[in-house]
């Protein structure tokens, strides 16, 4: 369980004896004199926290804030006025090495034998040039006991050098499996990033090979899919430090929680693909999104949230600064703040309510330094909240009822049923006494510092997506704008005029992540609903609703055709399948499809049942006691079938008596699709074929059940004697039924294909 950074103050003094005893146990395992011992530092690891590093025990001024897992060098100790043992340590912090005091019970000392000699605060290195691994020994030589074994890619901190057994050895500190060690590794197996302190036979700079650096990233806990991007950044900016933050959270669980309605928003003017289509966020029937915090912000889509949350999409020099640590560091200057605020309303000075003239950049720099929080972050956050022009009533100082009050960070500025965002935000400002611009910036900055940065949400990413503050996962999030982290991160990057500094980036890692970074495309509006669907002169059953996709209509036998019309909910959608349809007796299936701008489609089906003629139809005996009654003429051929008719619709016009009826293809296979010329109407009685008649659809010469340019070509070839037809195909050529095939039939066929007139099948 993480403790507060104030925990050393809150512990009951009655625990002092216990902590001193624990410290004594550590000291007995690794003797530490009650004095300074900078010439013989001891490796340790922060075991809880975050904890403060002070310039003096107990009540000294804070000089840093360290998190669990940080490796430190213990260079001395003292007993504080609170009864605790305090270790004097040196540790890396925001690109610099700090020296200060931390209470001993927050540091786990490694229990190896102390080295004979050492030096300095150390330089980074990595185990290299070995495929089988190498031992970390308690002294500089192979005769010393092995403390642990490490493998290529293992990060180490090199403290100094020593000679032993004719070899050069590096004195190192490292952490393996959560346990800290200090010992010696043969220098042949360590590549270092700087000059090794302490003299010895080597002091040259050895660059870390790319392969070794990649291995070190993997050893540190980065998934393989992160590493190539981090390597590219390391090659350009070798001083940058990348720290994996193992959230322990499942990726799909995280996205599901962050996709809860209202938790992540996007501007209403954004591409529609970025917006949520969850029914709680979107009205499909009206193609409208519900507003959150006013009409200008709507719910973000789950896929876009996943894109914005996947760290691998932002491991480049433009966007990585959303992962930059938000604690104050010396490289953060007023000039850098000015660079962030350039071309905004905060680019210059402001006149405050007391008449004093101050610079915005100087204000942020001063406040950030005092709070121990990056002034770059504070300035970028204000820029994100107030925009370039700064026209919000929250910072005008003139809002009716709240004159003279300001809220630069939009703290608690959200819309409720009883008040606007401006009213709620300014009511809070008045309650806090933010009656000047300076006080508003200072007060808002303190909210960011105390409620977020100091709770472990110490990057812009973690402020936006709370996956680290376990007391309120997913809820304790400063901003709802799903793009805020990438946007503010970009602004932060622009502030750094000199990027060749030792920036620290804390990058989240999740379990169960997809193998590749989540991709996203602005595909446009996803609405594929119809707002209306009609069959001229008839009512649909059931009544139309955009959510219902199957309908039926019954028409009398006299209705030979119907007209189908439809409109889409979204103006960006397209519709196919509308128009005029010829009807066969029985069931006719009509498909209407609505295709969204995004490409998503929704199919609506209408089954039009044309009633059979009462008392009509030819009854044909096919065997003893077996017959069929057909609405289609059955003679030498079966005719009267409309082009495009399905086998099911044709069979619905034939009533069998003591027999079965089927439609076979010309090859004798069951036809379940479109009926065409040359198909076989087959009647089976008593287990045998009793009657079989070919189908003729006038104009359908190639037998595909439709009339097209392909049929025109076949007719022309027949008339010219190039390729003659026979049987059912020849009968289909005689469109005017005069007993011969001439140019008159060709003209009728061409007019049908052009839509000028229709070939009658009756």
């Amino acid at each position: 369980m993480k403790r507060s950074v104030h925990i050393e103050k809150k512990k009951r003094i009655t625990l002092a004896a216990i902590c001193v005893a624990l410290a004594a146990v550590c000291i007995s395992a690794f003797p530490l004199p009650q004095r300074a011992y900078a010439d013989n530092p001891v490796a340790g690891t922060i075991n809880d926290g975050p904890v403060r590093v002070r310039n003096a025990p107990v009540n000294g001024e804070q000089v840093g804030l360290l998190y669990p897992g940080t490796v430190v060098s213990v260079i001395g100790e003292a007993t504080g006025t609170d009864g605790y043992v305090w270790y004097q340590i040196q540790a890396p912090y925001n690109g610099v090495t700090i020296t200060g005091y931390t209470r001993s019970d927050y540091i786990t000392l490694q229990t190896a034998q102390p080295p004979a000699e050492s030096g300095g605060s150390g330089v980074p290195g990595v185990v290299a040039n070995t495929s089988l691994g190498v031992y970390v020994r308690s002294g500089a030589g192979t005769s010393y006991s092995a403390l642990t074994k490490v493998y290529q890619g293992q990060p180490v901190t090199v403290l100094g050098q020593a000679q032993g057994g004719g070899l050069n050895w590096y004195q190192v500190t490292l952490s393996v499996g959560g346990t800290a060690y200090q010992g010696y590794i043969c220098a042949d197996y360590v590549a270092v990033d700087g000059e090794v302190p302490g003299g010895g036979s080597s002091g040259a700079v050895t660059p870390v090979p790319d392969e070794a650096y990649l291995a070190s990233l993997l050893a540190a806990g980065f998934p393989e899919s992160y590493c190539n991007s981090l390597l590219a950044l390391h090659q350009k900016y070798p001083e940058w430090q990348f720290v994996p933050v193992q959230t322990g959270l499942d990726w799909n669980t995280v996205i599901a929680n962050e996709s809860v309605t209202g938790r992540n928003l996007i501007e209403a003017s954004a591409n529609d693909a970025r917006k949520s289509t969850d029914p709680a966020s979107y009205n499909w029937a009206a193609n409208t999104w519900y507003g959150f915090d006013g009409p200008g912000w709507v719910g973000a889509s789950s896929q876009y949230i996943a894109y914005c949350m996947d760290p691998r999409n932002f491991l480049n020099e433009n966007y990585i600064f959303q992962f930059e640590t938000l604690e104050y560091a010396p490289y953060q200057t007023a000039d850098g703040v000015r660079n962030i605020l350039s071309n905004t309303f905060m680019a210059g000075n402001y006149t405050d309510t007391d008449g004093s003239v101050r610079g915005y950049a100087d204000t942020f720099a001063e406040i950030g330094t005092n709070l121990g929080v990056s002034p770059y972050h504070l300035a970028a956050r204000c820029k994100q909240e107030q925009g370039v022009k700064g026209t919000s009533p929250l910072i005008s100082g003139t809002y009716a009822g709240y004159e003279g009050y300001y809220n630069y960070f939009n703290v608690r500025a959200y819309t409720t049923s009883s008040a606007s965002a401006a009213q709620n935000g300014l009511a809070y400002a008045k309650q806090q006494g933010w009656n000047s611009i300076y006080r508003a910036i200072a007060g808002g900055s303190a909210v960011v510092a105390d409620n977020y940065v100091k709770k472990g949400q110490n990057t812009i990413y973690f402020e936006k997506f709370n996956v680290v503050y376990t007391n309120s996962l997913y809820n304790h999030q400063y901003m709802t704008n799903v793009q805020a982290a990438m946007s503010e991160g970009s602004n932060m990057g622009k502030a750094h005029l000199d990027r060749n500094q030792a920036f620290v980036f804390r990058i989240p890692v999740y379990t169960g992540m997809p193998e590749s970074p989540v991709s996203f495309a602005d595909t446009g509006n996803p609405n594929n609903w119809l707002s209306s669907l009609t069959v001229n002169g008839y009512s649909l059953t059931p009544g139309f609703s955009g959510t219902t996709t199957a309908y039926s209509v019954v028409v009398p036998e006299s209705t030979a055709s119907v007209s189908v019309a439809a409109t889409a909910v979204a103006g960006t959608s397209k519709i196919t399948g509308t128009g005029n349809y010829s009807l066969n007796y029985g069931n006719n299936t009509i498909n209407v499809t609505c295709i969204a701008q995004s490409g998503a489609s929704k199919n609506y089906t209408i089954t039009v049942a044309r009633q059979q003629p009462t008392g009509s139809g030819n009854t044909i005996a096919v065997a003893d006691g077996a017959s069929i009654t057909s609405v289609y003429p059955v003679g030498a051929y079966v005719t009267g079938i409309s082009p495009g008719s399905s086998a099911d619709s044709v069979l619905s016009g034939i009533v069998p008596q003591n027999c079965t009826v089927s439609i076979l293809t010309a090859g004798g296979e069951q036809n379940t699709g479109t009926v065409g010329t040359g198909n076989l109407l087959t009647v089976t009685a008593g287990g045998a074929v009793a009657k079989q008649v070919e189908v003729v659809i006038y104009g359908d010469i190639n037998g595909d059940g439709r009339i097209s340019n392909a049929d025109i070509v076949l007719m022309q070839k027949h008339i010219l004697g190039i390729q003659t037809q026979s049987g059912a195909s020849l009968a289909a050529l005689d469109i005017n039924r005069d007993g011969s095939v001439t140019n008159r039939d060709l003209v009728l066929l061409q007019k049908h294909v052009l839509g000028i007139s229709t070939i009658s099948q009756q």
Side-chain angles (χ1 to χ4, degrees):
M1 181 179 69
K2 286 191 175 182
R3 295 189 177 94
S4 162
V5 294
H6 302 287
I7 195 165
E8 73 272 9
K9 291 185 177 180
K10 294 181 179 179
K11 279 233 176 181
R12 293 168 57 89
I13 193 66
T14 54
L15 294 178
I18 297 174
C19 294
V20 171
L22 289 173
V25 172
C26 295
I27 294 169
S28 65
F30 196 148
L32 296 175
Q34 296 290 319
R35 59 180 177 79
Y37 38 100
D39 291 336
N40 190 22
V42 178
T45 305
I46 300 297
N47 59 31
D48 207 341
V51 294
R52 290 175 174 172
V53 181
R54 302 178 181 277
N55 64 1
V58 187
N59 295 318
E61 181 182 348
Q62 178 180 325
V63 296
L65 189 69
L66 302 182
Y67 287 80
T70 304
V71 177
V72 302
S73 293
V74 179
I75 60 174
E77 66 177 61
T79 301
T81 57
D82 58 355
Y84 291 101
V85 173
W86 288 69
Y87 286 155
Q88 185 182 26
I89 63 171
Q90 289 183 330
Y93 180 68
N94 288 341
V96 298
T97 299
I98 58 172
T99 301
Y101 289 86
T102 296
R103 222 172 57 194
S104 61
D105 53 326
Y106 294 111
I107 298 177
T108 299
L109 300 176
Q110 75 104 36
T111 57
Q113 178 182 342
E117 56 181 282
S118 65
S121 59
V123 295
V126 64
V127 173
N129 306 322
T130 176
S131 59
L132 300 177
V134 62
Y135 287 109
V136 180
R137 298 187 178 275
S138 59
T142 56
S143 61
Y144 288 90
S145 62
L147 303 176
T148 188
K149 191 174 186 179
V150 292
Y151 298 87
Q152 184 156 303
Q154 168 70 45
V156 299
T157 298
V158 180
L159 301 177
Q161 301 179 69
Q163 292 289 314
L167 298 173
N168 187 42
W169 294 76
Y170 284 153
Q171 180 199 359
V172 299
T173 60
L174 66 154
S175 177
V176 178
T179 301
Y181 295 92
Q182 179 170 317
Y184 289 84
I185 299 178
C186 179
D188 293 342
Y189 299 106
V190 180
V192 295
D193 268 342
E195 187 171 343
V196 178
S201 62
S202 174
V205 176
T206 305
V208 178
D210 288 351
E211 295 80 4
Y213 187 77
L214 285 172
S216 73
L217 293 173
L218 291 169
F222 280 112
E224 186 175 354
S225 57
Y226 285 59
C227 294
N228 285 335
S229 297
L230 294 177
L231 172 62
L233 289 171
H234 170 74
Q235 289 169 335
K236 188 170 184 179
Y237 303 107
E239 298 299 317
W240 288 10
Q241 301 176 45
F242 307 114
V243 180
V245 178
Q246 303 293 343
T247 66
L249 301 175
D250 173 71
W251 173 255
N252 291 326
T253 301
V254 169
I255 300 305
N257 278 279
E258 289 289 354
S259 298
V260 170
T261 301
R263 190 161 283 171
N264 278 284
L265 307 182
I266 190 75
E267 287 182 289
S269 59
N271 188 284
D272 288 345
R274 303 185 183 191
K275 304 173 187 176
S276 172
T277 54
D278 183 275
S281 298
Y282 176 63
N283 185 336
W284 280 88
N287 189 35
T288 57
W289 279 268
Y290 306 124
F292 296 88
D293 286 342
W297 293 91
V298 300
S301 72
S302 179
Q303 183 68 14
Y304 192 59
I305 292 170
Y307 171 80
C308 294
M309 288 197 70
D310 193 333
R312 296 169 296 182
N313 288 320
F314 307 104
L315 300 182
N316 56 66
E317 60 182 306
N318 294 324
Y319 289 105
I320 194 171
F321 286 91
Q322 63 186 283
F323 307 116
E324 181 189 359
T325 184
L326 297 183
E327 286 90 2
Y328 171 76
Y331 61 74
Q332 297 158 354
T333 64
D335 286 339
V337 177
R338 267 185 279 275
N339 196 45
I340 292 177
L341 300 179
S342 62
N343 300 318
T344 75
F345 74 100
M346 294 183 286
N349 297 331
Y350 63 91
T351 301
D352 217 336
T353 52
D354 61 358
S356 60
V357 177
R358 297 186 176 94
Y360 275 106
D362 294 327
T363 295
F364 282 110
E366 177 183 329
I367 292 171
T369 303
N370 292 338
L371 290 173
V373 175
S374 165
Y376 292 175
H377 170 53
L378 299 176
R381 171 56 50 77
C382 254
K383 179 179 177 180
Q384 180 76 23
E385 295 290 345
Q386 301 304 330
V388 173
K389 296 182 179 180
T391 57
S392 168
L394 284 156
I395 60 172
S396 68
T398 60
Y399 193 89
Y402 298 96
E403 292 84 356
Y405 290 94
Y406 304 83
N407 189 336
Y408 267 71
F409 286 82
N410 291 350
V411 181
R412 298 192 183 180
Y414 46 79
T415 302
T416 61
S417 58
S418 59
S420 67
Q423 290 170 327
N424 283 327
L426 287 171
Y428 181 77
K430 186 173 183 178
Q431 180 185 17
Q432 299 301 311
W434 295 349
N435 58 357
S436 73
I437 294 175
Y438 186 90
R439 288 178 180 174
I441 295 176
S445 297
V447 170
V448 173
D450 294 337
N451 291 343
Y452 294 91
V453 178
K454 295 179 181 179
K455 290 184 182 294
Q457 291 177 257
N458 52 7
T459 67
I460 297 173
Y461 181 97
F462 290 145
E463 286 188 345
K464 171 63 201 90
F465 304 113
N466 177 24
V467 292
V468 288
Y469 179 45
T470 56
N471 286 352
S472 189
L473 283 175
Y474 315 119
N475 285 310
H476 191 259
Q477 301 183 156
Y478 188 86
M479 51 282 212
T480 54
N481 178 4
V482 72
Q483 299 179 126
M486 70 172 83
S487 176
E488 291 189 37
S490 177
N491 287 334
M492 287 279 280
K494 294 174 183 176
H496 299 307
L497 303 179
D498 177 14
R499 293 196 175 187
N500 294 305
Q501 304 178 70
F503 297 122
V504 177
F505 300 101
R506 295 190 172 101
I507 305 169
V509 176
Y510 303 93
T511 62
M513 296 185 75
E515 291 185 6
S516 301
V518 174
S519 60
F520 185 83
D522 284 331
T523 53
N525 191 284
N527 196 301
N528 56 6
W529 283 27
L530 292 179
S531 61
S532 70
L533 180 63
T534 60
V535 175
N536 64 306
Y538 299 98
S539 298
L540 299 179
T541 301
F544 177 77
S545 168
T547 59
T548 304
T549 57
Y551 300 91
S552 63
V553 173
V554 178
V555 301
E557 58 87 14
S558 59
T559 303
S561 65
V562 292
S563 178
V564 176
T567 55
V569 170
T572 52
S573 300
K574 297 179 180 179
I575 300 173
T576 63
T578 57
N580 296 323
Y581 285 87
S582 297
L583 301 178
N584 295 309
Y585 294 110
N587 292 333
N588 299 261
T589 301
I590 299 172
N591 291 304
V592 178
T593 303
C594 183
I595 306 171
Q597 184 182 35
S598 66
S601 63
K602 193 179 189 72
N603 187 66
Y604 295 79
T605 301
I606 307 172
T607 301
V608 181
R610 182 183 180 187
Q611 294 178 336
Q612 302 285 355
T614 304
S616 67
N618 301 315
T619 300
I620 304 167
V622 295
D624 290 341
S627 64
I628 61 170
T629 300
S630 173
V631 298
Y632 305 105
V634 180
Y637 300 103
V638 181
T639 58
I641 299 172
S642 299
S645 298
S646 67
D648 287 342
S649 67
V650 171
L651 290 173
S652 69
I654 302 172
V655 179
Q657 181 71 30
N658 298 324
C659 59
T660 59
V661 182
S662 61
I663 304 244
L664 305 181
T665 65
E669 297 178 353
Q670 188 77 27
N671 185 353
T672 58
T674 303
V675 176
T677 296
N679 283 184
L680 300 167
L681 174 65
T682 304
V683 183
T684 303
V689 175
K691 189 176 185 64
Q692 196 168 59
V693 185
E694 283 187 291
V695 171
V696 168
I697 298 175
Y698 295 108
D700 172 32
I701 302 156
N702 66 359
D704 65 0
R706 295 173 175 82
I707 301 174
S708 66
N709 285 324
D711 299 300
I712 293 176
V713 172
L714 290 175
M715 180 174 280
Q716 289 171 331
K717 288 182 177 181
H718 179 86
I719 292 172
L720 294 171
I722 298 172
Q723 180 181 338
T724 58
Q725 303 293 329
S726 62
S729 295
L730 178 60
L733 287 169
D734 187 12
I735 294 173
N736 63 3
R737 273 81 108 189
D738 64 357
S740 62
V741 180
T742 66
N743 284 331
R744 293 187 182 90
D745 298 297
L746 179 60
V747 170
L748 292 174
L749 180 58
Q750 290 171 328
K751 285 184 176 181
H752 181 99
V753 172
L754 293 172
I756 298 172
S757 61
T758 301
I759 295 173
S760 173
Q761 300 296 329
Q762 302 299 327

